[in-house]
Amino acid sequence: MSERITQVLSLHRITPRCYDLTSVRTGSVRDQLIRATLLADALLRSGLVAVQRRDSDDEQKAIKRKRLLVLGAGVAGVALGLSAAEQGADVTIVEKETYPFGTLASCYWRTVDPTEYDWPHQHWNQGSLPIVLPGAPVATGPGGPQSPIQLPLPPSRLTGSRLAGVWSSLHSSALSPPVPDSTIAVGAGSLTILYGRNANDLTIDDSLAASALATRVPGHPMLTVSDAAATELVRVTSGWTTPSWNSEKFAAIVSCIGFGEEITSERPPPPTGQRGNWNGFTGHHFWQDYDGMKRSGFFKRTNRTMPTAILISGSGDGAMQDFQRAATGRFGRDLYEKIKSALPTGRFTPEGFMQDAILAEDYARRAHGWRPIGASIDATFQHWHDAYERAVNEVWSRWNSATKEHEAVAKAVLRPEVINELTGSPGPRVTVRWVIRESTPAYTYGLNRFLSLLVLRLMALLQGADHGRPHTLLTQHEIHAISPHPPHVCSGNPAGCYAIVHDVLLRNVVTHASVWNQFDLILIRHGQEASPLLGGASVPEQQVPFDIPR
């Protein structure tokens, strides 16, 4: 058995026949696709899901050994289910919604790019998989470059809803069968999707396999993949009427239920019946709720009002992406290309200054993955952030001040409303503030960090030495209280609070000094509260290859 198969299984194993794809830090759509495809391949190649009948198996046992239960029909769940079915498994997917791809399918305002956040690697703007390595031979087919294991959901650079639509059309017979709950032939196997069923209703028992592998026989290791493949199957009991499972047997179960509940409201939550310091305020969810920030301008309420003061709270990728959108109308690759187009050819080549930043990032990722629970790695994150600051300084110092290249970029990139606010010019104005609890932004993709730092520099340039106004980025602060202006009452509906003035108390987490500010669009990007259904990975940071290894 190849080392890759053993490695993939061990990284995601909860019990001998139960696996989890959702409790690691790397959660991009591309990473989900690769993890799911590799795990499906490993489960079948290892024999845990046995598509070849064994001599010792009767017909019924052979059928059960082909069965794979997948929890969740999001990107990871569908990719894993399709990949396993193509290779001969009989796959059942349980999904609480009535459609596949969950939150991705409803998001039309965010772009999904399979390679964008690999920046500054040379393939970062390729926008599709498999990646083409510089100077490396690549197998090709009718559709272009080919991977040794084909991704069942081919990724490309599209908005979330469009990408989900492309995938749904590509596999329409399996994902939307004419008869609900019907079994559809896929490749050498089959796929059944049970929509409208909650995986939390299942009782899962893998104790027989775990017990068999908890006893060491002299001369043999405690656990091998071949031993696991010979154990009793995992048993599942449902609380549903249809299907009514009573110790139903599966060869393996994989949880793909998502990365937990997004935190967009007060934590810890106030006691039941009390409104708390945030007075019932709930912010827009990253994927589900449209926040009104268009590329040009903002969505207007029915009374024609739109935001004039935006607050972004959080130090991760979501906060950085929305800070870029609030200040410029763009983020990621689109913002990078806009900056590049504002300068003469060859004047924006930041990749040449990123070596120290890449080394610092690698150091921080390793420390993050293996730090003791509760331990601080603030110094490591500071080292990471400082290296990116130096890279931004290098880019900035090479722009020509005599020809006002810095000002040209700022005026080309920043929203007109933001420019008016920073320069005190007449016309519509929008204030953008970004608040983080830490002394530096935390764990983020390199492109997000670099562009956010560069946008901060551009905003500071236009604001100049006006010390009467606060800086755009406020570190070591948190939202302590939110109070809507009467007669508005926060009801937990983000759309209802859009473009409505709220008083926000920002508190220094070190000195506890506080100051009130007014904002009418408040975006909370505080991560997720992980709730893995089958348990969680012991190491939260596991590197995923850019593509299926050849």
Side-chain angles (χ1 to χ4, degrees), residues 188-212:
S190 66
L191 179 66
T192 306
I193 303 184
L194 304 177
Y195 290 115
R197 274 74 157 202
N198 194 328
N200 277 307
D201 296 332
L202 299 176
T203 299
I204 298 171
D205 183 0
D206 199 25
S207 60
L208 293 180
S211 176

Side-chain angles (χ1 to χ4, degrees), residues 1 5 8-9 19 36-52 54 65-68 80-91 188-189 225 229 251-252 254:
M1 185 177 302
I5 291 173
V8 171
L9 294 175
Y19 295 80
T37 305
L38 288 174
L39 182 56
D41 185 64
L43 288 170
L44 272 76
R45 289 178 182 271
S46 68
L48 278 165
V49 178
V51 297
Q52 300 294 328
R54 304 177 185 184
R65 288 194 180 277
K66 293 175 58 179
R67 299 181 71 193
L68 172 64
L80 190 141
L82 289 171
S83 182
E86 284 284 352
Q87 298 177 64
D90 293 327
V91 181
V225 174
V254 181

Side-chain angles (χ1 to χ4, degrees), residues 132-168:
V132 179
L133 297 174
V138 178
T140 60
Q146 302 291 304
S147 290
I149 303 173
Q150 293 301 303
L151 294 173
L153 302 176
S156 56
R157 192 170 192 269
L158 295 169
T159 62
S161 57
R162 287 189 62 194
L163 187 58
V166 168
W167 288 340
S168 296

Side-chain angles (χ1 to χ4, degrees), residues 270-299:
T272 303
Q274 299 184 25
R275 297 188 63 78
N277 290 337
W278 287 23
N279 283 288
F281 177 85
T282 297
H284 296 75
H285 289 82
F286 187 82
W287 288 105
Q288 294 104 308
D289 302 318
Y290 177 48
D291 54 28
M293 296 195 297
K294 299 186 291 185
R295 174 169 288 191
S296 177
F298 299 86
F299 174 77

Side-chain angles (χ1 to χ4, degrees), residues 216-389:
R216 179 184 181 274
V217 177
H220 294 274
M222 182 74 87
L223 173 65
T224 67
V225 174
S226 57
D227 290 337
T231 59
E232 284 294 318
L233 305 183
V234 59
R235 294 170 293 174
V236 179
T237 299
S238 76
W240 314 320
T241 302
T242 306
S244 179
W245 289 340
N246 185 14
S247 290
E248 195 78 7
K249 293 183 178 181
F250 291 88
I253 299 176
V254 181
S255 176
C256 306
I257 61 168
F259 292 87
E261 180 183 356
E262 186 178 352
I263 302 171
T264 60
S265 56
E266 185 177 1
R267 290 296 186 273
T272 303
Q274 299 184 25
R275 297 188 63 78
N277 290 337
W278 287 23
N279 283 288
F281 177 85
T282 297
H284 296 75
H285 289 82
F286 187 82
W287 288 105
Q288 294 104 308
D289 302 318
Y290 177 48
D291 54 28
M293 296 195 297
K294 299 186 291 185
R295 174 169 288 191
S296 177
F298 299 86
F299 174 77
K300 295 181 179 180
R301 294 176 64 92
T302 52
N303 61 1
R304 308 301 294 170
T305 59
M306 64 181 189
T308 59
I310 303 171
L311 176 65
I312 301 102
S313 176
S315 62
D317 283 303
M320 286 190 173
Q321 186 178 119
D322 284 344
F323 166 66
Q324 293 168 37
R325 293 175 61 235
T328 74
R330 295 170 167 83
F331 71 92
R333 180 176 165 184
D334 286 339
L335 177 54
Y336 180 101
E337 296 294 344
K338 184 65 175 180
I339 296 170
K340 186 176 180 179
S341 68
L343 291 162
T345 303
R347 299 293 292 155
F348 186 56
T349 55
E351 294 79 12
F353 311 116
M354 293 303 299
Q355 181 174 351
D356 287 346
I358 292 172
L359 293 174
E361 180 174 340
D362 181 62
Y363 193 98
R365 287 179 183 273
R366 293 170 189 269
H368 176 266
W370 293 94
R371 75 190 189 282
I373 294 176
S376 171
I377 56 171
D378 290 347
T380 306
F381 276 173
Q382 183 70 56
H383 174 64
W384 181 4
H385 189 73
D386 289 346
Y388 271 78
E389 286 273 22

